Amino acid sequence: MEWTDRIRQVKILLVIAAIVIAVASLITSHLLTRDLEREERARMEVWATAMRTLNTADENTNLGLVLKVINENNTIPVIVLDAKGNAQTFRNVQLKGKNYEDSLKAATTIGRKLLASGKNIRIYLDDGPHPDYNDVCFDDSSILKRLAYYPFVQLGVVLIFVVIAIFALLTSKRAEQNKVWVGLSKETAHQLGTPISSLMAWVEILKEQYPNDDLIPEMNKDVERLQLIADRFSKIGSLPEMQPSSLNDVLLHVVDYMDHRTSKRIRITTKMPDHTVMALMNPNLFEWVVENLCKNAVDAMGGTAGSITLSVDDTGQKVIIDVADTGKGIKKKDLGNVFRPGFTTKKRGWGLGLSLAKRIVEEYHKGKIYVKSSEVGKGTTFRIELKK
């Protein structure tokens, strides 16, 4: 739990850092863009003044200075429109045209759009009552346009960094959990070996002394079950062997085992197709999954009467197994945590049953397991999907 809390805190800090960086980047970019826009408009006002001076020049005008101001603009796209809205000249504008006339037509279209958006400076060519005028229309420079996109690029880079960092943390956490589970499982299998061997010997002695006792075969079944459980634990961490197996047999075996060890007030039934349903699985491990779901269902009923139904649906492409109970159900706030290691609503237990079931189904069998539905006070249905 301490590791989980630490991971959660790190993820929260990474998200907060990403938000702070993104906001700071957007604010800085906005301020820079605003200042650059003002600077470019000021330059265009000087350029427009130079154009007016050029159009109204006489023999005393210093054309060298005027032409220098006009020619120094190599970055800001500019189009000069006359009073009728037709382009007279243009500069730093990429136009597609076969000749100069076609280019002027294209420049006229662009210039009118800039004029409509208010990106223009009007210059009057005379001082009469109805003076002639030109509109100097200008667009943002390429530098200004790139600067406008920069914060979004930076935001994308920050988000990618956060995603990679969180993925690395989760991968590290999962690897550490796997090591703990594998070590714990193998040690459990090893510790069970000695008492199981002793129990097997005692059962054989009891068989010789009481050959007609009906309880001894049931004791033997439980010892064999312990041996099977120890074998399952010993195989955790190694890749299990998958083979086409009868799902009907697996479920019926689970029902037979659970039925003899569950209160008679709880009814366990199956709904399976008439034909044998085959699925690619490891029978021992998958049987463990179904047993865990059934045991959780029994615990959810809290000793009251109820039912557990195992349903199978063969779609042709995959096999669907539903384990439905009439227990107390799962609260909505807990639905996202049921498969998390350590989560349990019971007073006893480590909260590893469903976590192990998820690992067996999804990592070993490449299937899916999830809560199909749950309603407090009415019951829960777990669904498993397996490839055929």
Side-chain angles (χ1 to χ4, degrees), residues 315-367:
T315 67
Q317 299 295 324
K318 60 183 177 180
V319 179
I320 299 175
I321 305 101
D322 286 342
V323 180
D325 65 62
T326 57
K328 62 184 180 181
I330 303 172
K331 298 178 181 178
K332 287 186 178 180
K333 67 182 183 68
D334 294 332
L335 287 175
N337 297 318
V338 292
F339 293 106
R340 183 169 59 85
F343 176 80
T344 180
T345 58
K346 296 179 288 186
K347 295 182 179 180
R348 296 189 305 169
W350 291 357
L352 294 177
L354 287 178
S355 179
L356 288 172
K358 185 177 180 67
R359 177 173 179 174
I360 291 170
V361 172
E362 297 188 354
E363 293 188 21
Y364 292 164
H365 291 80
K366 307 303 179 185

Side-chain angles (χ1 to χ4, degrees), residues 6 35 67 97 113 122 128 184 249 276 300 374 387:
R6 192 183 310 159
D35 292 342
L67 292 175
K113 290 180 179 179
R122 182 161 292 183
L184 179 63
D249 293 344
T276 300
S374 185
K387 296 179 181 179

Side-chain angles (χ1 to χ4, degrees), residues 219-236:
M219 292 176 59
N220 191 54
K221 286 182 181 179
D222 283 332
V223 172
E224 290 176 353
R225 174 65 55 169
L226 283 173
Q227 192 172 15
L228 177 61
I229 292 172
D231 182 62
R232 289 169 177 170
F233 275 110
S234 68
K235 289 180 179 178
I236 289 180

Side-chain angles (χ1 to χ4, degrees), residues 256-311:
D256 179 66
Y257 176 76
M258 292 295 299
D259 199 42
H260 288 81
R261 290 155 181 83
T262 306
S263 169
K264 298 302 180 182
R265 304 177 67 188
I266 297 177
R267 184 165 166 262
I268 304 176
T269 59
T270 59
K271 293 181 180 179
M272 294 185 287
D274 296 333
H275 64 278
T276 300
V277 179
M278 302 297 292
L280 190 64
M281 67 171 73
N282 181 288
N284 287 340
L285 289 180
F286 190 75
E287 188 177 315
W288 189 7
V289 172
V290 181
E291 281 181 16
N292 266 296
L293 294 178
C294 290
K295 289 176 181 177
N296 283 345
V298 172
D299 292 338
M301 294 176 202
T304 61
S307 64
I308 302 172
T309 304
L310 308 180
S311 305

Side-chain angles (χ1 to χ4, degrees), residues 161-172:
F161 166 76
V162 171
V163 170
I164 292 175
I166 291 176
F167 176 77
L169 286 170
L170 293 177
T171 302
S172 174

Side-chain angles (χ1 to χ4, degrees), residues 22 46-47 124 172 190 196 209 228 251 258 276 319 322 381:
V46 174
W47 197 89
Y124 292 96
S172 174
H190 176 72
I196 289 175
Q209 294 184 357
L228 177 61
L251 295 185
M258 292 295 299
T276 300
V319 179
D322 286 342
T381 299

